[in-house]
Amino acid sequence: MTSTYGEYAESAGADAIDVLVVDDDFMVARVHRAFVERVEGFRVVGVAGTGEQAVAAVDGLRPDLVLLDLYLPDLFGLDVIPRLRSAGHDCDVMVISAAREAGTVRGAVRQGVVDYLLKPFESEDLRARLERYAVRRGRLLGAVVRGQADVDRVLAGAPVPVTTAPALPKGMSVETAELVERVLREADGTLSATECAALTGVSRVSARRYLEHFHTVGRAEVSLRYGAAGRPERRYRFLGPPEGRPGRGTRRQPAPQPAPQIDGQADGQAGDQADGLRSGGGARA
């Protein structure tokens, strides 16, 4: 098995978050690389297929983030992490694996992984985690700690009351976000982007963008509805507070993060090798 960890290192801007993909299945690695390259601000600088290749790749490429499979042919993935630390590498690690054992998940947490994504998954599931990671990383890099509130902001995920909603991505408006949120909150069950568009008067593309934003920040969960043919339909359910609006003086606990949707198919084009595939279908991928 050969490593391609130097193949992609000069393909993006200097401000991008550099990612190393580690997976022993070269097809799965290609899919993951394509998924990452869809997310703005991230670039894949290399791919490794074994634990030893991963250690060498980190040493040579100095990535910011490693997407680490656990079932590698030479090492168990979690055993790679202490080797990286003992070599002085402080890159972050996100586990991407089919390993569902509670002990493995606990071990990953003890090793300090930034996230744990179960295979198989959709590209949007990885996108949400990468975007969340970018926010947390930005907080850490720019942190100035003057008191406990600053520490709480850095330690993303701590249930700290907040008085304002997360900033909307560029191009989104507060008014439209509130309209979509109201329709989603009042829906009887789940809502598709098409149904949301019909109820709000915005385009389906815009409706989906706002719904995906709510999913990313933990305000909505996503489920899949399979039809007779074609890709499954993404349906959204509101998870936020039933009354009041964050950012309008309402103090609330942040909504819990939804469980990853692991039964979907990879949507859209993910490069020539990834078209129509979902990530990691094998039991030991």
Side-chain angles (χ1 to χ4, degrees):
M1 184 175 299
T2 60
S3 169
T4 56
Y5 66 78
E7 184 177 347
Y8 318 103
E10 299 179 358
S11 60
D15 295 333
I17 295 174
D18 291 342
V19 179
L20 174 69
V21 175
V22 182
D23 201 293
D24 67 321
D25 187 322
F26 76 95
M27 285 295 295
V28 172
R30 287 184 181 181
V31 174
H32 292 179
R33 184 191 76 192
F35 284 178
V36 172
E37 289 173 345
R38 292 180 181 181
V39 184
E40 184 177 356
F42 288 82
R43 66 175 176 183
V44 174
V45 294
V47 175
T50 70
E52 292 293 345
Q53 289 175 2
V55 173
V58 171
D59 187 57
L61 297 172
R62 305 292 173 133
D64 302 304
L65 176 66
V66 177
L67 302 188
L68 181 65
D69 183 26
L70 296 185
Y71 295 123
L72 301 173
D74 56 341
L75 295 171
F76 187 56
L78 293 184
D79 294 332
V80 173
I81 301 176
R83 290 189 55 178
L84 297 178
R85 301 301 180 235
S86 63
H89 301 303
D90 60 355
C91 54
D92 293 315
V93 176
M94 181 183 299
V95 169
I96 296 184
S97 176
R100 300 166 181 262
E101 298 82 6
T104 300
V105 176
R106 287 194 296 268
V109 172
R110 286 194 293 269
Q111 295 278 13
V113 302
V114 297
D115 217 321
Y116 195 114
L117 179 58
L118 287 174
K119 298 177 181 178
F121 57 88
E122 290 189 281
S123 63
E124 290 300 324
D125 294 316
L126 181 57
R127 174 188 293 273
R129 283 159 177 77
L130 290 176
E131 291 177 344
R132 186 168 60 200
Y133 165 75
V135 172
R136 291 174 177 173
R137 182 172 183 270
R139 287 174 182 158
L140 284 170
L141 293 177
V144 177
V145 178
R146 301 183 181 89
Q148 186 62 49
D150 298 312
V151 175
D152 292 337
R153 277 191 292 271
V154 170
L155 297 178
V160 180
V162 296
T163 58
T164 58
L168 291 170
K170 185 178 180 180
M172 290 188 180
S173 71
V174 173
E175 293 76 15
T176 304
E178 290 181 347
L179 176 61
V180 172
E181 179 184 325
R182 183 170 66 251
V183 168
L184 184 61
R185 186 193 305 120
E186 295 173 355
D188 184 13
T190 61
L191 197 68
S192 70
T194 300
E195 292 165 346
C196 181
L199 291 170
T200 58
V202 303
S203 70
R204 187 190 66 82
V205 173
S206 293
R208 172 160 178 152
R209 187 181 180 206
Y210 282 91
L211 291 169
E212 286 293 335
H213 168 70
F214 290 138
H215 174 47
T216 298
V217 299
R219 302 281 298 285
E221 66 178 358
V222 175
S223 58
L224 300 177
R225 176 181 292 177
Y226 291 86
R231 289 181 296 175
E233 179 184 54
R234 292 175 69 83
R235 302 193 64 84
Y236 304 82
R237 183 190 302 275
F238 187 66
L239 290 177
E243 298 180 357
R245 296 185 182 171
R248 300 282 175 149
T250 301
R251 297 180 65 86
R252 67 176 181 89
Q253 298 286 338
Q257 292 295 325
Q261 302 298 314
I262 61 174
D263 296 323
Q265 295 180 334
D267 57 337
Q269 299 293 324
D272 293 340
Q273 298 295 333
D275 186 20
L277 297 176
R278 65 178 180 176
S279 170
R284 287 179 58 83

mmCIF file of all heavy atoms in Angstrom, residues 113-135:
data_model
loop_
_atom_site.group_PDB
_atom_site.id
_atom_site.type_symbol
_atom_site.label_atom_id
_atom_site.label_comp_id
_atom_site.label_asym_id
_atom_site.label_seq_id
_atom_site.Cartn_x
_atom_site.Cartn_y
_atom_site.Cartn_z
ATOM 1 N N VAL A 113 -9.668 13.650 20.963
ATOM 2 C CA VAL A 113 -10.142 13.894 19.599
ATOM 3 C C VAL A 113 -11.175 15.023 19.611
ATOM 4 O O VAL A 113 -11.908 15.216 20.585
ATOM 5 C CB VAL A 113 -10.746 12.620 18.971
ATOM 6 C CG1 VAL A 113 -9.731 11.492 18.954
ATOM 7 C CG2 VAL A 113 -12.013 12.186 19.695
ATOM 8 N N VAL A 114 -11.231 15.761 18.511
ATOM 9 C CA VAL A 114 -12.142 16.896 18.434
ATOM 10 C C VAL A 114 -13.538 16.482 18.008
ATOM 11 O O VAL A 114 -14.503 17.222 18.220
ATOM 12 C CB VAL A 114 -11.605 17.983 17.486
ATOM 13 C CG1 VAL A 114 -10.296 18.538 18.002
ATOM 14 C CG2 VAL A 114 -11.443 17.448 16.065
ATOM 15 N N ASP A 115 -13.673 15.293 17.408
ATOM 16 C CA ASP A 115 -14.987 14.799 17.006
ATOM 17 C C ASP A 115 -14.867 13.329 16.654
ATOM 18 O O ASP A 115 -13.759 12.802 16.484
ATOM 19 C CB ASP A 115 -15.541 15.588 15.813
ATOM 20 C CG ASP A 115 -17.054 15.796 15.892
ATOM 21 O OD1 ASP A 115 -17.749 14.839 16.325
ATOM 22 O OD2 ASP A 115 -17.533 16.879 15.535
ATOM 23 N N TYR A 116 -16.018 12.664 16.553
ATOM 24 C CA TYR A 116 -16.062 11.226 16.260
ATOM 25 C C TYR A 116 -17.260 11.004 15.354
ATOM 26 O O TYR A 116 -18.404 11.153 15.771
ATOM 27 C CB TYR A 116 -16.198 10.450 17.557
ATOM 28 C CG TYR A 116 -15.914 8.962 17.475
ATOM 29 C CD1 TYR A 116 -14.831 8.406 18.140
ATOM 30 C CD2 TYR A 116 -16.746 8.094 16.767
ATOM 31 C CE1 TYR A 116 -14.556 7.036 18.104
ATOM 32 C CE2 TYR A 116 -16.495 6.739 16.717
ATOM 33 C CZ TYR A 116 -15.404 6.211 17.386
ATOM 34 O OH TYR A 116 -15.138 4.862 17.333
ATOM 35 N N LEU A 117 -17.003 10.655 14.101
ATOM 36 C CA LEU A 117 -18.068 10.505 13.102
ATOM 37 C C LEU A 117 -18.130 9.045 12.661
ATOM 38 O O LEU A 117 -17.133 8.474 12.213
ATOM 39 C CB LEU A 117 -17.798 11.410 11.902
ATOM 40 C CG LEU A 117 -18.806 11.358 10.748
ATOM 41 C CD1 LEU A 117 -20.212 11.704 11.235
ATOM 42 C CD2 LEU A 117 -18.370 12.309 9.642
ATOM 43 N N LEU A 118 -19.326 8.460 12.784
ATOM 44 C CA LEU A 118 -19.509 7.065 12.416
ATOM 45 C C LEU A 118 -19.739 6.907 10.919
ATOM 46 O O LEU A 118 -20.473 7.683 10.306
ATOM 47 C CB LEU A 118 -20.702 6.476 13.172
ATOM 48 C CG LEU A 118 -20.517 6.205 14.667
ATOM 49 C CD1 LEU A 118 -21.844 5.772 15.274
ATOM 50 C CD2 LEU A 118 -19.449 5.149 14.910
ATOM 51 N N LYS A 119 -19.124 5.891 10.349
ATOM 52 C CA LYS A 119 -19.401 5.500 8.973
ATOM 53 C C LYS A 119 -20.611 4.555 8.975
ATOM 54 O O LYS A 119 -20.780 3.778 9.916
ATOM 55 C CB LYS A 119 -18.217 4.755 8.367
ATOM 56 C CG LYS A 119 -16.923 5.523 8.271
ATOM 57 C CD LYS A 119 -15.854 4.587 7.711
ATOM 58 C CE LYS A 119 -14.495 5.255 7.602
ATOM 59 N NZ LYS A 119 -13.472 4.318 7.104
ATOM 60 N N PRO A 120 -21.388 4.571 7.899
ATOM 61 C CA PRO A 120 -21.335 5.499 6.758
ATOM 62 C C PRO A 120 -22.030 6.804 7.105
ATOM 63 O O PRO A 120 -22.808 6.877 8.057
ATOM 64 C CB PRO A 120 -22.106 4.746 5.666
ATOM 65 C CG PRO A 120 -23.082 3.914 6.427
ATOM 66 C CD PRO A 120 -22.395 3.514 7.714
ATOM 67 N N PHE A 121 -21.757 7.850 6.343
ATOM 68 C CA PHE A 121 -22.329 9.158 6.627
ATOM 69 C C PHE A 121 -22.460 9.942 5.329
ATOM 70 O O PHE A 121 -21.896 9.587 4.300
ATOM 71 C CB PHE A 121 -21.449 9.940 7.616
ATOM 72 C CG PHE A 121 -20.033 10.116 7.136
ATOM 73 C CD1 PHE A 121 -19.681 11.202 6.351
ATOM 74 C CD2 PHE A 121 -19.049 9.203 7.466
ATOM 75 C CE1 PHE A 121 -18.373 11.369 5.897
ATOM 76 C CE2 PHE A 121 -17.747 9.351 7.030
ATOM 77 C CZ PHE A 121 -17.410 10.441 6.242
ATOM 78 N N GLU A 122 -23.218 11.034 5.401
ATOM 79 C CA GLU A 122 -23.386 11.920 4.260
ATOM 80 C C GLU A 122 -22.310 13.010 4.269
ATOM 81 O O GLU A 122 -21.737 13.333 5.304
ATOM 82 C CB GLU A 122 -24.752 12.610 4.319
ATOM 83 C CG GLU A 122 -25.930 11.698 4.056
ATOM 84 C CD GLU A 122 -27.171 12.534 3.914
ATOM 85 O OE1 GLU A 122 -27.715 12.949 4.937
ATOM 86 O OE2 GLU A 122 -27.582 12.801 2.772
ATOM 87 N N SER A 123 -22.114 13.611 3.132
ATOM 88 C CA SER A 123 -21.143 14.708 3.056
ATOM 89 C C SER A 123 -21.545 15.849 3.970
ATOM 90 O O SER A 123 -20.685 16.515 4.551
ATOM 91 C CB SER A 123 -21.007 15.201 1.608
ATOM 92 O OG SER A 123 -22.230 15.739 1.145
ATOM 93 N N GLU A 124 -22.848 16.101 4.120
ATOM 94 C CA GLU A 124 -23.295 17.204 4.970
ATOM 95 C C GLU A 124 -22.972 16.950 6.442
ATOM 96 O O GLU A 124 -22.782 17.893 7.210
ATOM 97 C CB GLU A 124 -24.795 17.447 4.786
ATOM 98 C CG GLU A 124 -25.164 18.039 3.439
ATOM 99 C CD GLU A 124 -24.497 19.385 3.199
ATOM 100 O OE1 GLU A 124 -24.346 20.163 4.158
ATOM 101 O OE2 GLU A 124 -24.121 19.653 2.040
ATOM 102 N N ASP A 125 -22.933 15.677 6.847
ATOM 103 C CA ASP A 125 -22.567 15.370 8.229
ATOM 104 C C ASP A 125 -21.112 15.750 8.505
ATOM 105 O O ASP A 125 -20.790 16.293 9.552
ATOM 106 C CB ASP A 125 -22.785 13.881 8.518
ATOM 107 C CG ASP A 125 -24.246 13.483 8.462
ATOM 108 O OD1 ASP A 125 -25.068 14.224 9.012
ATOM 109 O OD2 ASP A 125 -24.560 12.452 7.859
ATOM 110 N N LEU A 126 -20.245 15.447 7.551
ATOM 111 C CA LEU A 126 -18.843 15.839 7.708
ATOM 112 C C LEU A 126 -18.692 17.347 7.588
ATOM 113 O O LEU A 126 -17.922 17.963 8.340
ATOM 114 C CB LEU A 126 -17.977 15.140 6.662
ATOM 115 C CG LEU A 126 -16.474 15.453 6.720
ATOM 116 C CD1 LEU A 126 -15.888 15.121 8.090
ATOM 117 C CD2 LEU A 126 -15.725 14.710 5.625
ATOM 118 N N ARG A 127 -19.415 17.958 6.665
ATOM 119 C CA ARG A 127 -19.350 19.415 6.515
ATOM 120 C C ARG A 127 -19.695 20.110 7.833
ATOM 121 O O ARG A 127 -19.000 21.044 8.264
ATOM 122 C CB ARG A 127 -20.317 19.884 5.420
ATOM 123 C CG ARG A 127 -20.410 21.408 5.327
ATOM 124 C CD ARG A 127 -21.509 21.839 4.377
ATOM 125 N NE ARG A 127 -21.177 21.473 3.015
ATOM 126 C CZ ARG A 127 -20.460 22.244 2.197
ATOM 127 N NH1 ARG A 127 -19.979 23.402 2.627
ATOM 128 N NH2 ARG A 127 -20.203 21.842 0.977
ATOM 129 N N ALA A 128 -20.769 19.679 8.477
ATOM 130 C CA ALA A 128 -21.185 20.319 9.724
ATOM 131 C C ALA A 128 -20.088 20.225 10.777
ATOM 132 O O ALA A 128 -19.809 21.196 11.497
ATOM 133 C CB ALA A 128 -22.470 19.678 10.237
ATOM 134 N N ARG A 129 -19.432 19.081 10.860
ATOM 135 C CA ARG A 129 -18.381 18.910 11.863
ATOM 136 C C ARG A 129 -17.134 19.710 11.521
ATOM 137 O O ARG A 129 -16.482 20.259 12.413
ATOM 138 C CB ARG A 129 -18.057 17.424 12.018
ATOM 139 C CG ARG A 129 -19.111 16.708 12.846
ATOM 140 C CD ARG A 129 -19.136 15.219 12.632
ATOM 141 N NE ARG A 129 -20.121 14.614 13.527
ATOM 142 C CZ ARG A 129 -21.426 14.642 13.328
ATOM 143 N NH1 ARG A 129 -21.928 15.205 12.237
ATOM 144 N NH2 ARG A 129 -22.256 14.093 14.198
ATOM 145 N N LEU A 130 -16.805 19.798 10.250
ATOM 146 C CA LEU A 130 -15.651 20.602 9.860
ATOM 147 C C LEU A 130 -15.906 22.084 10.126
ATOM 148 O O LEU A 130 -15.019 22.801 10.614
ATOM 149 C CB LEU A 130 -15.329 20.376 8.386
ATOM 150 C CG LEU A 130 -14.754 19.002 8.022
ATOM 151 C CD1 LEU A 130 -14.570 18.890 6.514
ATOM 152 C CD2 LEU A 130 -13.447 18.733 8.744
ATOM 153 N N GLU A 131 -17.097 22.547 9.807
ATOM 154 C CA GLU A 131 -17.418 23.957 10.055
ATOM 155 C C GLU A 131 -17.424 24.259 11.544
ATOM 156 O O GLU A 131 -16.951 25.320 11.974
ATOM 157 C CB GLU A 131 -18.758 24.301 9.414
ATOM 158 C CG GLU A 131 -18.707 24.301 7.886
ATOM 159 C CD GLU A 131 -20.053 24.580 7.247
ATOM 160 O OE1 GLU A 131 -21.090 24.472 7.960
ATOM 161 O OE2 GLU A 131 -20.089 24.901 6.045
ATOM 162 N N ARG A 132 -17.951 23.331 12.342
ATOM 163 C CA ARG A 132 -17.936 23.525 13.793
ATOM 164 C C ARG A 132 -16.504 23.529 14.313
ATOM 165 O O ARG A 132 -16.148 24.320 15.195
ATOM 166 C CB ARG A 132 -18.753 22.416 14.452
ATOM 167 C CG ARG A 132 -18.946 22.582 15.954
ATOM 168 C CD ARG A 132 -19.994 21.609 16.444
ATOM 169 N NE ARG A 132 -19.615 20.228 16.190
ATOM 170 C CZ ARG A 132 -20.485 19.233 16.154
ATOM 171 N NH1 ARG A 132 -21.774 19.464 16.318
ATOM 172 N NH2 ARG A 132 -20.062 17.994 15.949
ATOM 173 N N TYR A 133 -15.682 22.631 13.779
ATOM 174 C CA TYR A 133 -14.281 22.602 14.175
ATOM 175 C C TYR A 133 -13.574 23.909 13.833
ATOM 176 O O TYR A 133 -12.788 24.431 14.638
ATOM 177 C CB TYR A 133 -13.567 21.432 13.481
ATOM 178 C CG TYR A 133 -12.063 21.527 13.534
ATOM 179 C CD1 TYR A 133 -11.365 21.252 14.700
ATOM 180 C CD2 TYR A 133 -11.335 21.930 12.411
ATOM 181 C CE1 TYR A 133 -9.983 21.357 14.755
ATOM 182 C CE2 TYR A 133 -9.952 22.040 12.462
ATOM 183 C CZ TYR A 133 -9.290 21.759 13.634
ATOM 184 O OH TYR A 133 -7.917 21.877 13.687
ATOM 185 N N ALA A 134 -13.856 24.455 12.647
ATOM 186 C CA ALA A 134 -13.217 25.707 12.242
ATOM 187 C C ALA A 134 -13.569 26.837 13.204
ATOM 188 O O ALA A 134 -12.719 27.668 13.539
ATOM 189 C CB ALA A 134 -13.634 26.073 10.816
ATOM 190 N N VAL A 135 -14.828 26.863 13.656
ATOM 191 C CA VAL A 135 -15.241 27.894 14.620
ATOM 192 C C VAL A 135 -14.489 27.734 15.931
ATOM 193 O O VAL A 135 -13.958 28.697 16.491
ATOM 194 C CB VAL A 135 -16.759 27.829 14.843
ATOM 195 C CG1 VAL A 135 -17.179 28.746 15.992
ATOM 196 C CG2 VAL A 135 -17.509 28.219 13.575
#
